[in-house]
Amino acid sequence: MTNKQTRIARIRYNLEFAGYEAVVFISENGTDYTYPSFVTAPLDAEYALVMRSLTEAAYRKHRSDNPGLRSYLRRLTNTPFAPTHPPLAA
């Protein structure tokens, strides 16, 4: 079973290409993937449509055999943040 979460950051409108671009983060089974995403849409497009389109474009890249530009970060699960020391003797 896969556990996926999606976040979208840095949404902006690109006037030169007449569309929205953003960085989309997909978390799946403890690994974070980052994809640049672009969709063509008018400046006054509905927010929900733009968000859904950006997410779908990132998922298409994520499922692809050749995703192109992406980065990923694998989280360590069993590593403590700080070492535990025995109590000091008085």
Side-chain angles (χ1 to χ4, degrees):
M1 181 175 148
T2 60
N3 181 18
K4 292 183 183 175
Q5 293 180 338
T6 306
R7 292 180 297 129
I8 300 177
R10 297 185 231 159
I11 300 171
R12 62 183 178 189
Y13 191 76
N14 188 327
L15 288 172
E16 182 179 0
F17 298 109
Y20 289 90
E21 56 191 17
V23 175
V24 180
F25 302 95
I26 299 175
S27 296
E28 180 179 24
N29 295 331
T31 304
D32 295 332
Y33 299 90
T34 305
Y35 297 94
S37 187
F38 178 82
V39 293
T40 55
L43 183 60
D44 60 349
E46 289 187 32
Y47 180 74
L49 175 68
V50 171
M51 296 292 284
R52 185 173 53 248
S53 299
L54 288 169
T55 303
E56 289 172 356
Y59 272 123
R60 278 193 302 274
K61 289 181 183 180
H62 185 67
R63 290 188 301 260
S64 172
D65 291 334
N66 186 14
L69 181 63
R70 80 170 173 187
S71 67
Y72 64 94
L73 174 66
R74 185 169 292 124
R75 289 186 226 129
L76 301 176
T77 56
N78 294 330
T79 304
F81 293 119
T84 55
H85 299 290
L88 297 175

